[in-house]
Amino acid sequence: MTKVAIVGSGFIGRAWAISFARAGHDVRMWDQSPAAAGGAHDYVAGVLGDLAANDLLRGQAIDAVRGRIAVVAELEEALADAVHIQENTPESLDVKREVFSLIDALAGPQAVIASSTSALLPSKFTDHLQGRHRCLVVHPINPPYLIPAAEVVPAPWTSPETVERTRALLVAGHAPLVMKHELDGFIMNRLQGALLEEAFRLVADGYASVEDVDIGIRDGLALRWSFMGPFETIDLNAPGGVRDYVERYQTIYANIFPQTLRRVDWAGEVIETVEADRRKRLPWEELGERQVWRDRRLMALAAHKKKSDQEFGR
Protein backbone atom coordinates (compact mmCIF):
# COMPACT_ATOMS: atom_id res chain seq x y z
CA MET A 1 0.00 0.00 0.00
CA THR A 2 1.06 3.57 -0.67
CA LYS A 3 1.62 5.49 2.54
CA VAL A 4 -0.06 8.89 2.91
CA ALA A 5 0.54 11.28 5.81
CA ILE A 6 -2.15 13.70 6.98
CA VAL A 7 -0.80 16.74 8.85
CA GLY A 8 -3.62 18.49 10.69
CA SER A 9 -6.80 16.54 11.44
CA GLY A 10 -9.57 19.15 11.38
CA PHE A 11 -12.56 19.01 9.02
CA ILE A 12 -10.42 18.77 5.89
CA GLY A 13 -7.70 16.51 7.25
CA ARG A 14 -10.03 13.86 8.60
CA ALA A 15 -12.07 13.94 5.38
CA TRP A 16 -8.90 13.38 3.36
CA ALA A 17 -8.05 10.44 5.62
CA ILE A 18 -11.32 8.73 4.70
CA SER A 19 -10.83 9.43 1.02
CA PHE A 20 -7.25 8.16 0.85
CA ALA A 21 -8.00 5.07 2.94
CA ARG A 22 -10.98 4.19 0.76
CA ALA A 23 -8.65 4.42 -2.26
CA GLY A 24 -6.48 1.76 -0.65
CA HIS A 25 -3.72 3.86 0.89
CA ASP A 26 -2.18 3.40 4.32
CA VAL A 27 -2.97 6.66 6.16
CA ARG A 28 -1.20 8.13 9.19
CA MET A 29 -2.81 11.18 10.82
CA TRP A 30 -0.96 13.62 13.05
CA ASP A 31 -2.10 16.80 14.77
CA GLN A 32 -0.27 18.97 17.27
CA SER A 33 -3.38 18.60 19.44
CA PRO A 34 -3.80 14.97 20.59
CA ALA A 35 -7.46 15.67 21.37
CA ALA A 36 -8.07 16.82 17.79
CA ALA A 37 -6.44 13.71 16.37
CA GLY A 38 -8.49 11.44 18.63
CA GLY A 39 -11.69 13.26 17.72
CA ALA A 40 -10.86 12.85 14.03
CA HIS A 41 -10.54 9.09 14.44
CA ASP A 42 -13.98 8.96 16.11
CA TYR A 43 -15.43 11.07 13.30
CA VAL A 44 -14.01 8.73 10.68
CA ALA A 45 -15.56 5.72 12.38
CA GLY A 46 -18.96 7.43 12.36
CA VAL A 47 -18.85 8.44 8.69
CA LEU A 48 -17.80 5.05 7.35
CA GLY A 49 -21.12 3.51 8.34
CA ASP A 50 -23.07 6.08 6.30
CA LEU A 51 -20.74 5.58 3.33
CA ALA A 52 -21.18 1.81 3.48
CA ALA A 53 -24.97 2.20 3.64
CA ASN A 54 -24.82 4.16 0.38
CA ASP A 55 -22.41 1.70 -1.29
CA LEU A 56 -19.65 4.32 -1.33
CA LEU A 57 -16.81 2.17 0.04
CA ARG A 58 -16.24 0.43 -3.30
CA GLY A 59 -17.38 -2.88 -1.95
CA GLN A 60 -14.91 -2.82 0.94
CA ALA A 61 -15.76 -3.67 4.52
CA ILE A 62 -15.90 -0.82 7.03
CA ASP A 63 -13.21 -2.45 9.17
CA ALA A 64 -10.89 -2.79 6.17
CA VAL A 65 -11.04 0.94 5.40
CA ARG A 66 -10.87 1.96 9.05
CA GLY A 67 -7.90 -0.37 9.56
CA ARG A 68 -5.86 1.65 7.07
CA ILE A 69 -6.14 4.81 9.21
CA ALA A 70 -4.01 5.31 12.29
CA VAL A 71 -3.45 8.29 14.55
CA VAL A 72 0.19 8.76 15.54
CA ALA A 73 1.69 10.88 18.32
CA GLU A 74 4.78 12.15 16.51
CA LEU A 75 5.06 14.01 13.22
CA GLU A 76 8.18 12.03 12.31
CA GLU A 77 6.20 8.80 12.58
CA ALA A 78 3.49 10.13 10.28
CA LEU A 79 6.02 11.26 7.67
CA ALA A 80 8.22 8.16 7.71
CA ASP A 81 8.13 6.43 4.29
CA ALA A 82 5.19 8.57 3.12
CA VAL A 83 4.99 9.10 -0.64
CA HIS A 84 2.35 11.80 -0.30
CA ILE A 85 1.90 14.32 2.53
CA GLN A 86 -1.32 16.34 2.76
CA GLU A 87 -1.03 19.43 4.98
CA ASN A 88 -4.23 20.87 6.49
CA THR A 89 -3.20 23.64 8.88
CA PRO A 90 -4.91 27.07 9.24
CA GLU A 91 -5.09 29.51 6.29
CA SER A 92 -2.18 31.60 7.50
CA LEU A 93 0.86 32.30 5.34
CA ASP A 94 3.17 32.35 8.36
CA VAL A 95 1.81 29.02 9.60
CA LYS A 96 2.14 27.42 6.16
CA ARG A 97 5.74 28.59 5.77
CA GLU A 98 6.65 27.24 9.18
CA VAL A 99 4.89 23.90 8.71
CA PHE A 100 6.27 23.35 5.20
CA SER A 101 9.79 24.12 6.45
CA LEU A 102 9.38 21.46 9.12
CA ILE A 103 7.90 18.87 6.77
CA ASP A 104 10.52 19.48 4.08
CA ALA A 105 13.28 18.92 6.64
CA LEU A 106 11.76 15.72 8.05
CA ALA A 107 10.18 14.00 5.05
CA GLY A 108 12.02 11.54 2.88
CA PRO A 109 13.11 12.60 -0.61
CA GLN A 110 10.41 10.41 -2.19
CA ALA A 111 7.54 12.38 -0.67
CA VAL A 112 5.35 14.90 -2.46
CA ILE A 113 4.24 17.68 -0.09
CA ALA A 114 0.78 19.10 -0.81
CA SER A 115 -1.29 21.76 0.91
CA SER A 116 -5.09 21.79 1.12
CA THR A 117 -5.15 25.60 1.15
CA SER A 118 -8.10 27.13 -0.67
CA ALA A 119 -6.63 30.61 -1.07
CA LEU A 120 -2.84 30.79 -0.69
CA LEU A 121 -0.64 30.44 -3.76
CA PRO A 122 1.99 27.70 -3.34
CA SER A 123 4.76 30.08 -4.38
CA LYS A 124 4.05 32.19 -1.28
CA PHE A 125 4.98 29.49 1.23
CA THR A 126 7.44 27.20 -0.62
CA ASP A 127 9.93 29.62 -2.19
CA HIS A 128 12.44 29.22 0.66
CA LEU A 129 12.53 25.42 0.72
CA GLN A 130 15.36 23.22 -0.47
CA GLY A 131 12.79 20.72 -1.72
CA ARG A 132 10.42 23.25 -3.23
CA HIS A 133 10.31 21.27 -6.50
CA ARG A 134 8.16 18.64 -4.76
CA CYS A 135 5.65 21.09 -3.25
CA LEU A 136 2.25 22.10 -4.60
CA VAL A 137 -1.39 22.62 -3.64
CA VAL A 138 -4.06 19.93 -3.74
CA HIS A 139 -7.25 21.80 -2.92
CA PRO A 140 -10.37 19.70 -2.31
CA ILE A 141 -14.03 20.58 -2.17
CA ASN A 142 -15.11 19.52 1.31
CA PRO A 143 -15.70 16.71 2.01
CA PRO A 144 -13.37 15.01 -0.51
CA TYR A 145 -14.83 11.58 0.23
CA LEU A 146 -18.10 12.79 -1.33
CA ILE A 147 -16.97 15.40 -3.88
CA PRO A 148 -14.26 13.99 -6.14
CA ALA A 149 -12.94 17.20 -7.74
CA ALA A 150 -9.53 18.27 -6.40
CA GLU A 151 -7.34 21.06 -7.78
CA VAL A 152 -3.66 20.35 -8.41
CA VAL A 153 -1.89 23.71 -8.40
CA PRO A 154 1.89 23.88 -9.03
CA ALA A 155 4.22 26.65 -7.97
CA PRO A 156 6.52 28.01 -10.70
CA TRP A 157 9.25 25.62 -9.51
CA THR A 158 7.14 22.51 -8.95
CA SER A 159 8.59 19.77 -11.14
CA PRO A 160 6.46 18.17 -13.88
CA GLU A 161 7.18 14.80 -12.24
CA THR A 162 5.64 16.01 -8.98
CA VAL A 163 2.51 17.19 -10.78
CA GLU A 164 2.15 13.91 -12.65
CA ARG A 165 2.76 11.78 -9.55
CA THR A 166 0.09 13.76 -7.72
CA ARG A 167 -2.40 13.45 -10.55
CA ALA A 168 -1.77 9.70 -10.78
CA LEU A 169 -2.24 9.26 -7.03
CA LEU A 170 -5.51 11.20 -7.01
CA VAL A 171 -7.12 9.74 -10.09
CA ALA A 172 -7.86 6.42 -8.36
CA GLY A 173 -10.39 8.13 -6.11
CA HIS A 174 -10.78 11.70 -7.32
CA ALA A 175 -11.27 13.87 -10.37
CA PRO A 176 -8.10 16.00 -10.44
CA LEU A 177 -8.10 19.43 -12.08
CA VAL A 178 -4.48 20.02 -13.08
CA MET A 179 -3.70 23.71 -13.45
CA LYS A 180 -0.92 24.77 -15.78
CA HIS A 181 0.07 27.74 -13.59
CA GLU A 182 -0.92 29.07 -10.17
CA LEU A 183 -3.58 31.79 -10.07
CA ASP A 184 -5.45 33.52 -7.24
CA GLY A 185 -8.57 31.52 -6.37
CA PHE A 186 -7.45 28.55 -8.50
CA ILE A 187 -10.28 27.26 -10.74
CA MET A 188 -13.21 26.37 -8.51
CA ASN A 189 -13.18 29.43 -6.26
CA ARG A 190 -12.98 31.70 -9.31
CA LEU A 191 -16.03 30.00 -10.82
CA GLN A 192 -17.89 30.03 -7.52
CA GLY A 193 -16.84 33.61 -6.86
CA ALA A 194 -18.24 34.81 -10.19
CA LEU A 195 -21.58 33.23 -9.34
CA LEU A 196 -21.62 34.65 -5.80
CA GLU A 197 -20.74 38.14 -7.03
CA GLU A 198 -23.81 38.10 -9.28
CA ALA A 199 -26.00 36.56 -6.56
CA PHE A 200 -25.14 39.36 -4.12
CA ARG A 201 -25.66 42.01 -6.82
CA LEU A 202 -29.12 40.68 -7.70
CA VAL A 203 -30.20 40.78 -4.05
CA ALA A 204 -28.52 44.09 -3.18
CA ASP A 205 -30.03 45.86 -6.20
CA GLY A 206 -33.52 44.55 -5.46
CA TYR A 207 -33.96 42.33 -8.52
CA ALA A 208 -34.41 39.02 -6.67
CA SER A 209 -34.85 37.55 -3.23
CA VAL A 210 -32.28 35.28 -1.62
CA GLU A 211 -34.58 32.30 -2.11
CA ASP A 212 -35.22 33.15 -5.77
CA VAL A 213 -31.49 33.09 -6.44
CA ASP A 214 -31.17 29.76 -4.62
CA ILE A 215 -34.07 28.34 -6.64
CA GLY A 216 -32.40 29.44 -9.87
CA ILE A 217 -29.36 27.34 -9.06
CA ARG A 218 -30.88 24.49 -7.02
CA ASP A 219 -33.86 23.82 -9.29
CA GLY A 220 -32.35 25.18 -12.48
CA LEU A 221 -28.72 25.36 -13.53
CA ALA A 222 -27.43 22.85 -10.97
CA LEU A 223 -29.51 20.04 -12.39
CA ARG A 224 -27.39 20.10 -15.54
CA TRP A 225 -24.21 21.05 -13.74
CA SER A 226 -24.48 18.00 -11.50
CA PHE A 227 -23.33 15.86 -14.42
CA MET A 228 -22.03 18.33 -17.05
CA GLY A 229 -19.65 21.26 -17.00
CA PRO A 230 -20.38 24.66 -18.58
CA PHE A 231 -18.59 23.93 -21.85
CA GLU A 232 -20.35 20.61 -22.35
CA THR A 233 -23.64 22.30 -21.43
CA ILE A 234 -23.40 24.90 -24.18
CA ASP A 235 -22.03 22.34 -26.64
CA LEU A 236 -25.32 20.46 -26.24
CA ASN A 237 -27.55 23.55 -26.13
CA ALA A 238 -27.27 24.50 -29.81
CA PRO A 239 -27.88 22.34 -32.89
CA GLY A 240 -24.37 22.89 -34.22
CA GLY A 241 -22.48 22.54 -30.94
CA VAL A 242 -20.32 24.99 -29.05
CA ARG A 243 -19.44 27.25 -32.00
CA ASP A 244 -23.11 27.51 -32.95
CA TYR A 245 -24.01 28.42 -29.35
CA VAL A 246 -21.39 31.18 -29.27
CA GLU A 247 -22.59 32.62 -32.58
CA ARG A 248 -26.21 32.58 -31.43
CA TYR A 249 -25.95 33.75 -27.83
CA GLN A 250 -22.68 35.58 -27.17
CA THR A 251 -24.35 38.99 -27.60
CA ILE A 252 -26.67 38.26 -24.65
CA TYR A 253 -23.68 37.93 -22.34
CA ALA A 254 -21.78 40.76 -24.00
CA ASN A 255 -24.69 43.05 -23.05
CA ILE A 256 -24.74 41.76 -19.48
CA PHE A 257 -20.98 41.96 -18.89
CA PRO A 258 -20.67 45.77 -18.38
CA GLN A 259 -23.29 45.50 -15.61
CA THR A 260 -21.12 43.00 -13.73
CA LEU A 261 -18.11 45.31 -13.42
CA ARG A 262 -19.21 46.61 -10.03
CA ARG A 263 -18.76 44.89 -6.70
CA VAL A 264 -21.31 44.80 -3.93
CA ASP A 265 -19.72 44.62 -0.49
CA TRP A 266 -20.90 41.26 0.79
CA ALA A 267 -20.47 42.48 4.37
CA GLY A 268 -22.34 45.74 3.72
CA GLU A 269 -26.08 46.42 3.88
CA VAL A 270 -26.93 43.38 1.74
CA ILE A 271 -25.78 40.93 4.43
CA GLU A 272 -28.69 42.08 6.61
CA THR A 273 -31.12 40.94 3.92
CA VAL A 274 -29.27 37.71 3.16
CA GLU A 275 -28.85 36.70 6.79
CA ALA A 276 -32.43 37.58 7.73
CA ASP A 277 -33.79 35.46 4.89
CA ARG A 278 -31.54 32.50 5.69
CA ARG A 279 -32.28 32.60 9.44
CA LYS A 280 -36.01 32.79 8.67
CA ARG A 281 -35.72 29.63 6.60
CA LEU A 282 -33.13 27.96 8.83
CA PRO A 283 -32.83 29.07 12.47
CA TRP A 284 -29.27 29.34 13.72
CA GLU A 285 -29.69 26.48 16.20
CA GLU A 286 -30.61 24.12 13.34
CA LEU A 287 -27.47 24.76 11.27
CA GLY A 288 -25.66 21.67 12.54
CA GLU A 289 -28.61 19.41 11.79
CA ARG A 290 -28.91 20.85 8.29
CA GLN A 291 -25.21 20.26 7.66
CA VAL A 292 -25.73 16.58 8.46
CA TRP A 293 -28.70 16.60 6.06
CA ARG A 294 -26.48 18.16 3.37
CA ASP A 295 -23.82 15.46 3.73
CA ARG A 296 -26.39 12.68 3.55
CA ARG A 297 -27.94 14.22 0.45
CA LEU A 298 -24.44 14.40 -1.04
CA MET A 299 -23.99 10.71 -0.25
CA ALA A 300 -27.25 9.88 -2.00
CA LEU A 301 -26.23 12.01 -4.99
CA ALA A 302 -22.79 10.39 -5.12
CA ALA A 303 -24.39 6.94 -5.04
CA HIS A 304 -26.80 7.96 -7.83
CA LYS A 305 -23.99 9.40 -9.98
CA LYS A 306 -21.92 6.24 -9.47
CA LYS A 307 -24.80 4.07 -10.65
CA SER A 308 -25.59 6.38 -13.57
CA ASP A 309 -21.96 6.51 -14.70
CA GLN A 310 -21.86 2.71 -14.71
CA GLU A 311 -25.12 2.47 -16.68
CA PHE A 312 -24.13 5.05 -19.28
CA GLY A 313 -20.53 3.92 -19.52
CA ARG A 314 -18.84 7.12 -18.46
Side-chain angles (χ1 to χ4, degrees):
M1 291 186 291
T2 299
K3 184 173 179 182
V4 173
I6 302 293
V7 178
S9 56
F11 285 111
I12 303 298
R14 63 196 189 188
W16 269 125
I18 295 170
S19 187
F20 283 126
R22 181 178 57 186
H25 303 301
D26 182 18
V27 179
R28 295 292 178 266
M29 290 198 303
W30 175 86
D31 196 291
Q32 64 177 354
S33 167
H41 199 268
D42 293 341
Y43 174 85
V44 168
V47 168
L48 290 178
D50 282 339
L51 292 176
N54 285 277
D55 193 26
L56 294 175
L57 290 183
R58 303 180 182 178
Q60 303 172 89
I62 293 174
D63 288 345
V65 177
R66 183 168 51 205
R68 298 189 192 112
I69 303 173
V71 175
V72 298
E74 301 296 333
L75 177 60
E76 292 85 348
E77 184 180 357
L79 301 182
D81 301 322
V83 300
H84 183 88
I85 301 164
Q86 192 71 34
E87 172 271 331
N88 311 277
T89 58
E91 291 282 316
S92 162
L93 194 57
D94 290 339
V95 170
K96 299 291 188 193
R97 290 181 68 87
E98 181 180 352
V99 170
F100 263 71
S101 295
L102 184 59
I103 294 174
D104 187 46
L106 294 175
Q110 78 286 350
V112 168
I113 310 174
S115 175
S116 296
T117 180
S118 59
L120 301 176
L121 297 178
S123 63
K124 300 298 185 181
F125 54 87
T126 66
D127 60 305
H128 62 298
L129 301 177
Q130 182 176 356
R132 65 183 190 172
H133 64 281
R134 59 173 174 165
C135 299
L136 75 174
V137 164
V138 177
H139 170 230
I141 295 292
N142 195 41
Y145 56 79
L146 293 179
I147 303 180
E151 297 176 302
V152 178
V153 187
W157 40 77
T158 305
S159 71
E161 179 191 10
T162 295
V163 174
E164 175 53 29
R165 284 180 58 198
T166 304
R167 187 206 63 80
L169 179 81
L170 290 171
V171 78
H174 294 86
L177 296 70
V178 181
M179 294 191 68
K180 298 177 180 180
H181 310 284
E182 65 177 14
L183 179 69
D184 285 327
F186 314 144
I187 296 172
M188 290 187 285
N189 276 332
R190 292 179 77 91
L191 292 172
Q192 179 173 247
L195 182 58
L196 285 172
E197 288 286 349
E198 187 58 38
F200 274 97
R201 270 192 299 269
L202 288 168
V203 174
D205 294 346
Y207 291 108
S209 70
V210 172
E211 179 63 9
D212 286 331
V213 172
D214 276 357
I215 289 172
I217 301 302
R218 181 184 66 229
D219 300 316
L221 296 175
L223 295 179
R224 291 185 304 212
W225 288 349
S226 68
F227 59 91
M228 294 190 300
F231 286 119
E232 185 175 6
T233 295
I234 66 172
D235 196 29
L236 301 179
N237 273 6
V242 64
R243 183 180 294 274
D244 187 20
Y245 183 95
V246 169
E247 291 172 350
R248 288 170 181 260
Y249 303 119
Q250 179 180 205
T251 55
I252 295 174
Y253 299 98
N255 290 336
I256 294 172
F257 182 71
Q259 301 170 34
T260 69
L261 302 180
R262 173 183 60 85
R263 285 209 75 239
V264 167
D265 181 6
W266 298 6
E269 291 184 10
V270 67
I271 191 58
E272 302 299 329
T273 301
V274 173
E275 185 176 43
D277 188 278
R278 288 304 307 148
R279 292 293 71 81
K280 179 180 178 180
R281 296 178 181 278
L282 181 67
W284 184 88
E285 59 271 16
E286 296 178 15
L287 275 172
E289 179 182 346
R290 189 69 169 177
Q291 288 164 348
V292 172
W293 168 87
R294 174 204 60 197
D295 287 353
R296 288 181 174 162
R297 288 294 297 263
L298 280 172
M299 288 182 193
L301 178 59
H304 170 73
K305 284 172 65 67
K306 174 186 172 184
K307 182 179 178 181
S308 296
D309 287 348
Q310 291 170 344
E311 290 177 354
F312 291 99
R314 181 164 180 175

